[in-house]
Amino acid sequence: MSPRVITLESEIDWPGFRREARTLLASLVPPDEVVWQTPGHPAPELWQAEAPPSPVAGSAPMRRLGGSGPSRLVVPPAFITLCEKVVLHQDPQRFALLYRLLWRLVHERGLRQDPLDPDRLRARQMLQSVRRDLHKMKAFVRFRPVGQPEGEPPLSVAWFEPEHHIVEAVVPFFVRRFTQMHWAILTPECSVRWMPAPANSPPLAGEDALPGELEFGPGASKEQAPAPDQGEALWLTYYAHIFNPARLKLSMMAKEMPRKYWANLPEAQLIAPLAAQASERTTRMVQAVPAAPRRRIPARAPLPPVDSMHDPEASLAALAKSADRCRDCPLGEHATQVVFGEGALQPPLMLVGEQPGDQEDLAGQPFVGPAGRLLDRALQELGWPRDALYLTNAVKHFKFELRGTRRIHKSPGQREVLACQQWLEREVALVRPKAFVALGATAARALVGRAVPVMSERGQWLTGPAGLPVLITLHPSALLRGDPAEKDSAWRAWLDDLALASRYIRGEEEGALSQPRAEA
C-alpha cells in the first residue's frame, strides 16, 4: 500500500495540519503510512495520494468528546503550544514528527511521563531553535530610511535572513512596536509591509482590527535592501563611544549575537577593531589616576562647638542646613531634604520619633503624615498645645525602598542612627527641653544610649541626655499598623502613656522619675 500524501497550503499551515491530523487519527492511519508535503518541499513523484483507509475491524475506537461527529482529541495543552512553534521550523520532516508524537500521545499513555523520549527531545530542540530565531529577529532587525516620491510618507526598510519560517509569527511584534511608522521587512522567503492608518481615519471596528494595512509579498534579495545613511554613521559613533573594553567577553557576545547576523548589523564592522584595542585600553584605564568624586550636594563645613552658639534659633537653622549636606550615611543622598525638628525653645517636652516618612520628606517638616495626624489628635485630647512642644526625629533623613513608583518606609539601621546621633545631641543642647518622650525603639535607643524593649518598658521613665527624664512609649505608626479589632484599646493605652508627661506641661516636673505610674 502506497503512503498517503498530505499537501499543506504553506510552510506554516498549522490549521491545515491540525485538521488533517485529526482526520488521519480518526481513520486510524499510522504515522508511517503518511507523507507530508508543502509547496517548498513536495513529496517524491512515486508517492501517490490515496483515499483514506477504513478503520481496521476490531480496533479500539478513538475517544470522542461530545458524542457523534468529528472527534475532539484530548492532548496536553503544552503539546498545542509546541506544535504552533515547531511548524515554523525549517526541517521538512517537522509535520511527520508532530503527527508521530500526536499518534503516540493518543496510543502510548506512558509517553507523557517520558521526557527523554527521542521524539520529544527532537521536538523540544526544534521549539527552542524557533524561539531563539524569533528573539534574534526582534533584536537584530535594523531599519533604514529610503527615498519616497513626493507626497508619500517616509518608508523604512530592513533586511533579515531568518533561519526558520518565522516572519508571519514575528510581524505582530513589529506592528505593536512601530505602529505609527511606515516600514517594510525583506527576507529571502517573503516580505512584509506595514502602512499605518492616517491620523484622521475613523475608529477601528472590532477587537482584531489593525490600525493600518499589512501586506505580505514574495521574497527579496539582499541587493534590494537600502544602503547605509547618515543616521547610521551617527549610530556607529555612539556605539564606539559606549564600548567598555573592561567588560568585553567575546565568547558571550558570539553566543548572544552569532556571527551569521553580523553581515546585517552596521555596528559589526566596529567589533573587530574595538576588540583588538580592548586589552590596551583596559590597561590604560587601570593605570589612569582616579578622578576626584563629585558629590550631588557639597559636603558640610565643620560645625562650631555648641557652647559658642549664642542665638539658638539661628544656630538651629544653621544646624539644619549643615545636616542637609551630611553624607555620613547613604540616606542623605537619596532623600529629598533633611527633616529637622520644629517647635518652641526650652519646651516642657521634646517628642522624639524614629525618622521622617514620605510626606515629611516632601514637606520638610516632622510629623505631618498619617502618624503625625494621629499624634495631633492625641495632643488635642491631652490638652497639649503643639506649638508649646518641640517635635523631632532621631534620624533626619527618610529611609525607603522603591516598589514600583511608591516609596515604602524602611526602618533605619544602627549605622544610620549612630550617624545622626551628633545632630540629635546638638539639637537637644540648643532646644534645652525639660523632659523627653521617646516614640518607639529607635528614639529610645538614641536618647537612652542602649536598646530599649518598648513593649515591656512603655510607660516608664528612664534617664536620658544630661540626666533628663525620658518617657518610653510607642510610635503612633505602631497604632496604625496594629490589629483593627484592638484599635480602641491600643489608643487608650497609648494616651495613658503620654498622660504621664502631663505634669511637665503643667510645670510639675520635679520628682518625675520617682513618681510611680499609678499616680499619673
Side-chain angles (χ1 to χ4, degrees):
M1 180 183 296
S2 300
R4 181 173 181 187
V5 179
I6 304 297
T7 303
L8 300 176
E9 293 183 0
S10 68
E11 296 290 342
I12 56 173
D13 186 11
W14 158 242
F17 168 77
R18 190 174 188 178
R19 181 179 59 253
E20 295 292 345
R22 286 176 172 176
T23 302
L24 292 170
L25 269 176
S27 302
L28 298 178
V29 180
D32 56 2
E33 294 182 9
V34 182
V35 174
W36 300 86
Q37 71 173 8
T38 60
H41 297 88
E45 294 182 1
L46 57 91
W47 289 339
Q48 301 296 327
E50 291 189 353
S54 302
V56 179
S59 299
M62 289 292 298
R63 181 164 72 158
R64 297 170 182 267
L65 299 180
S68 60
S71 59
R72 180 183 174 191
L73 303 179
V74 180
V75 295
F79 180 72
I80 302 299
T81 303
L82 180 141
C83 290
E84 291 174 343
K85 290 293 188 292
V86 172
V87 296
L88 307 178
H89 201 275
Q90 64 173 345
D91 190 343
Q93 300 302 316
R94 61 191 180 282
F95 295 106
L97 172 66
L98 293 178
Y99 181 62
R100 185 164 64 250
L101 273 173
L102 178 61
W103 174 273
R104 295 181 61 198
L105 282 171
V106 173
H107 294 86
E108 302 175 22
R109 295 297 184 181
L111 179 63
R112 304 187 185 198
Q113 285 76 42
D114 186 7
L116 299 181
D117 178 82
D119 284 343
R120 289 190 60 182
L121 288 175
R122 175 57 182 156
R124 174 61 62 179
Q125 292 170 355
M126 295 169 74
L127 171 66
Q128 292 174 347
S129 181
V130 169
R131 284 177 172 173
R132 182 176 178 83
D133 205 28
L134 287 166
H135 171 71
K136 297 306 179 187
M137 184 168 180
K138 295 175 184 177
F140 297 138
V141 161
R142 297 290 190 271
F143 288 103
R144 291 169 172 168
V146 297
Q148 286 284 86
E150 186 175 352
E152 292 287 332
L155 173 65
S156 298
V157 180
W159 167 259
F160 191 76
E161 301 176 54
E163 184 177 347
H164 304 293
H165 310 290
I166 63 169
V167 176
E168 291 190 26
V170 81
V171 156
F173 166 82
F174 289 99
V175 170
R176 293 191 303 269
R177 185 75 175 271
F178 305 105
T179 306
Q180 302 302 322
M181 186 174 79
H182 183 196
W183 53 262
I185 300 177
L186 311 180
T187 74
E189 182 176 306
C190 69
S191 300
V192 59
R193 178 169 177 165
W194 168 256
M195 172 69 78
N200 57 354
S201 59
L204 302 177
E207 295 182 358
D208 298 331
L210 292 175
E213 184 178 351
L214 191 64
E215 296 180 357
F216 289 90
S221 62
K222 189 173 182 179
E223 289 71 22
Q224 295 176 269
D229 63 329
Q230 293 181 353
E232 190 166 299
L234 182 62
W235 158 245
L236 293 179
T237 302
Y238 171 75
Y239 184 85
H241 279 78
I242 65 171
F243 176 76
N244 187 345
R247 302 186 64 182
L248 177 64
K249 294 183 179 180
L250 289 174
S251 58
M252 182 61 68
M253 182 184 66
K255 179 181 178 181
E256 296 300 324
M257 190 171 66
R259 290 182 178 273
K260 65 181 179 181
Y261 298 110
W262 288 20
N264 302 321
L265 297 176
E267 62 268 28
Q269 59 183 290
L270 299 178
I271 293 177
L274 289 174
Q277 303 167 10
S279 178
E280 179 185 352
R281 290 181 59 186
T282 302
T283 302
R284 292 202 305 266
M285 290 169 60
V286 172
Q287 296 176 348
V289 177
R294 293 183 299 175
R295 291 179 178 267
R296 182 173 63 89
I297 299 178
R300 58 180 173 83
L303 292 175
V306 173
D307 57 4
S308 68
M309 300 180 178
H310 304 293
D311 186 346
E313 291 187 2
S315 299
L316 277 174
L319 196 65
K321 185 176 181 181
S322 185
D324 194 36
R325 300 179 179 180
C326 178
R327 295 299 179 268
D328 291 348
C329 76
L331 300 187
E333 183 176 358
H334 303 289
T336 304
Q337 58 191 318
V338 72
V339 181
F340 224 67
E342 65 177 15
L345 295 178
Q346 300 184 26
L349 290 173
M350 174 186 255
L351 277 61
V352 182
E354 178 190 66
Q355 68 162 352
D358 180 72
Q359 295 186 29
E360 287 82 1
D361 173 75
L362 297 175
Q365 295 178 279
F367 292 98
V368 295
R373 290 191 289 272
L374 190 63
L375 178 62
D376 286 340
R377 176 185 165 193
L379 297 181
Q380 184 177 6
E381 187 159 338
L382 291 169
W384 296 3
R386 176 164 173 157
D387 56 1
L389 308 174
Y390 190 88
L391 278 63
T392 190
N393 287 290
V395 176
K396 306 303 183 185
H397 287 103
F398 179 36
K399 183 176 182 180
F400 61 91
E401 62 180 15
L402 282 174
R403 294 182 188 173
T405 58
R406 298 179 59 199
R407 301 193 301 175
I408 304 301
H409 169 278
K410 190 174 183 180
S411 297
Q414 187 174 359
R415 176 189 175 188
E416 288 91 9
V417 176
L418 290 176
C420 271
Q421 189 71 31
Q422 60 170 328
W423 305 112
L424 181 62
E425 292 174 354
R426 290 174 178 271
E427 191 176 23
V428 168
L430 288 169
V431 175
R432 298 171 59 190
K434 295 181 174 62
F436 300 91
V437 176
L439 302 172
T442 301
R445 184 186 187 106
L447 291 171
V448 178
R450 63 172 175 84
V452 177
V454 173
M455 294 307 296
S456 61
E457 298 196 30
R458 62 179 297 187
Q460 299 184 27
W461 290 94
L462 304 179
T463 303
L468 297 176
V470 179
L471 177 64
I472 308 299
T473 188
L474 302 177
H475 194 280
S477 61
L479 277 67
L480 298 175
R481 297 191 301 265
D483 187 351
E486 302 177 358
K487 177 180 178 181
D488 291 338
S489 60
W491 167 254
R492 299 313 312 178
W494 188 53
L495 282 181
D496 290 343
D497 288 347
L498 294 175
L500 295 173
S502 292
R503 61 172 58 90
Y504 287 93
I505 302 296
R506 300 192 300 265
E508 303 171 2
E509 67 272 15
E510 293 298 328
L513 283 171
S514 61
Q515 292 289 340
R517 177 169 181 166
E519 297 181 9

